[in-house]
């Protein structure tokens, strides 16, 4: 019975929605560490081979986006930098750095949650993943659990703005 439950859970995690739910949990863990809540996983074969949340603040490294971390982990797990048989699932549309890394890694497929019309590079602000001049094009599926992914980010930034407003008010009051 227990093995069957584990198998069902694994099959659910390997769907786009199931994998996005894992990424959302990783995003929540990143937020608990003071990071922008973005989480990502990479699927290879029938398993998740890489998982991470943003680590920019923790590592003091502007390149420590969840996507960059899981690409490195996945290459180690697969034993090759070419990730053509892999799917990367991330809660927010990747930025140009991350999308470029996906193209360079020859990622097979990208699944993202909410779009990023200002910085997204998988069809939002620009499209590096499908640009005809690139050596590789990544298959992209966007909008998976988009409302949940967007709500997580919006709540985070709303709290951050409120904290900054409170800090400014204290500073103006001479405290």
């Amino acid at each position: 019975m227990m093995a069957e439950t584990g198998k069902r859970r694994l099959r659910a995690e390997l769907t786009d929605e199931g994998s996005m739910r894992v990424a959302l949990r990783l995003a929540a863990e990143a937020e608990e560490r003071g990071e922008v809540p973005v989480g990502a996983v990479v699927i290879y074969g029938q398993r998740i081979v890489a998982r991470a949340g943003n680590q920019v603040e923790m590592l003091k490294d502007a390149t420590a986006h969840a996507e960059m971390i899981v690409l490195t982990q996945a290459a180690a797990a697969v034993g090759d930098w070419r990730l053509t048989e892999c799917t990367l699932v991330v809660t927010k549309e990747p930025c140009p750095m991350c999308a470029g890394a996906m193209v360079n890694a020859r990622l097979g497929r990208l699944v993202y949650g909410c779009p990023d019309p200002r910085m997204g590079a998988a069809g939002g602000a620009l499209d590096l993943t499908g640009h005809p001049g690139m050596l590789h094009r990544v298959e992209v599926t966007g909008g998976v659990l988009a409302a949940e992914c967007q709500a997580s980010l919006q709540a985070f930034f709303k709290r951050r703005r409120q904290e900054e407003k409170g800090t400014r008010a204290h500073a103006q009051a001479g405290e």
Side-chain angles (χ1 to χ4, degrees):
M1 179 76 172
M2 186 63 135
E4 186 60 33
T5 302
K7 286 181 184 177
R8 267 186 271 140
R9 186 180 62 80
L10 179 61
R11 281 194 300 269
E13 283 184 352
L14 294 177
T15 66
D16 288 352
E17 282 192 12
S19 299
M20 188 62 73
R21 292 201 187 286
V22 174
L24 278 163
R25 284 194 299 274
L26 293 163
E29 291 171 11
E31 182 175 8
E32 289 172 10
R33 296 189 308 269
E35 303 284 351
V36 174
V38 175
V41 299
V42 173
I43 300 164
Y44 175 68
Q46 294 299 309
R47 62 190 180 108
I48 293 174
V49 296
R51 56 181 76 215
N54 274 356
Q55 297 179 23
V56 172
E57 300 299 331
M58 182 175 72
L59 298 176
K60 307 293 185 229
D61 179 355
T63 68
H65 290 192
E67 302 97 305
M68 300 296 283
I69 295 165
V70 295
L71 286 171
T72 300
Q73 291 174 352
V78 170
D80 193 352
W81 63 269
R82 293 172 195 87
L83 302 177
T84 55
E85 301 300 316
C86 293
T87 297
L88 190 152
V89 179
V90 62
T91 55
K92 183 185 79 61
E93 181 182 359
C95 72
M97 172 184 69
C98 294
M102 291 172 198
V103 170
N104 286 340
R106 311 299 194 264
L107 183 69
R109 184 167 178 249
L110 164 66
V111 175
Y112 69 84
C114 63
D116 184 351
R118 289 183 19 193
M119 287 291 292
L126 61 144
D127 188 6
L128 291 179
T129 54
H131 191 276
M134 296 292 198
L135 293 174
H136 175 77
R137 292 188 194 158
V138 179
E139 178 187 332
V140 176
T141 301
V144 175
L145 300 180
E148 290 178 48
C149 295
Q150 185 171 7
S152 169
L153 286 162
Q154 286 176 332
F156 172 81
F157 286 112
K158 182 178 181 181
R159 278 191 305 278
R160 183 167 281 179
R161 284 189 300 273
Q162 288 171 339
E163 290 167 3
E164 289 173 3
K165 185 178 178 181
T167 302
R168 283 193 304 272
H170 286 300
Q172 290 174 351
E175 296 179 12

